[in-house]
Amino acid sequence: MRIHHIGYLVKHIEAARERFEELGYNLKTDVVKDKERGVLICFIEKDGYLIELVSPAGEGSSVKSLIKRYGNTPYHICYQADDFDRDLSELEAGGFLRIDSPSPAPAIEGRKVCFLQNSQIGMVELLM
Ligand code: NI
């Protein structure tokens, strides 16, 4: 597995995007709505690091309680799988608990992702 991006929670995605741009980040995508997860997402990049900005959209947002508790903050590392099913099984065998089912991510070309949680290192995302 290789690191694909860092997921970064922000309260207001457009304002955050502008601040990051002022810091020299390149805007890689437009802001996309992931209706399934109730989030707005865009990607920015600097020095080879890809950052995914995520903000809540609507009442049923999957990140609503997270942003309430932690505010603006990095919150997951996403790994590009070498072999999605095998890597998912190995993570689970290694103590990572699935917190959703593998499903397409509209903000990443509809590629399949799955989120997992580990008590020592928090949330990770696996990308097909
Ligand atoms: Ni992500």
Side-chain angles (χ1 to χ4, degrees):
M1 302 189 302
R2 295 176 60 83
I3 293 176
H4 183 270
H5 66 260
I6 310 289
Y8 199 121
L9 272 181
V10 293
K11 289 177 186 163
H12 306 291
I13 199 162
E14 292 291 353
R17 200 168 184 254
E18 284 171 26
R19 292 296 88 74
F20 276 113
E21 193 176 21
E22 287 166 8
L23 288 175
Y25 285 74
N26 299 307
L27 308 181
K28 301 294 282 183
T29 67
D30 291 332
V31 176
V32 172
K33 186 167 187 180
D34 183 334
K35 288 189 188 123
E36 196 63 36
R37 299 177 178 84
V39 293
L40 297 171
I41 292 176
C42 70
F43 284 89
I44 59 176
E45 179 272 334
K46 182 169 164 57
D47 306 329
Y49 292 92
L50 188 60
I51 310 290
E52 175 190 42
L53 300 181
V54 180
S55 70
E59 282 307 300
S61 177
S62 59
V63 299
K64 204 168 175 237
S65 62
L66 284 178
I67 202 144
K68 208 172 244 176
R69 197 183 317 166
Y70 300 115
N72 300 307
T73 183
Y75 77 114
H76 72 257
I77 298 178
C78 176
Y79 298 92
Q80 162 83 66
D82 300 313
D83 176 324
F84 188 85
D85 293 332
R86 190 199 65 205
D87 292 342
L88 186 56
S89 301
E90 285 181 6
L91 285 168
E92 290 187 289
F96 287 78
L97 295 176
R98 269 194 219 193
I99 53 178
D100 65 3
S101 303
S103 61
I108 319 179
E109 302 139 7
R111 287 157 71 184
K112 198 158 69 170
V113 300
C114 185
F115 283 90
L116 303 100
Q117 182 84 32
N118 175 272
S119 56
Q120 272 75 47
I121 67 171
M123 201 185 300
V124 304
E125 178 181 23
L126 185 65
L127 171 66
M128 187 171 219

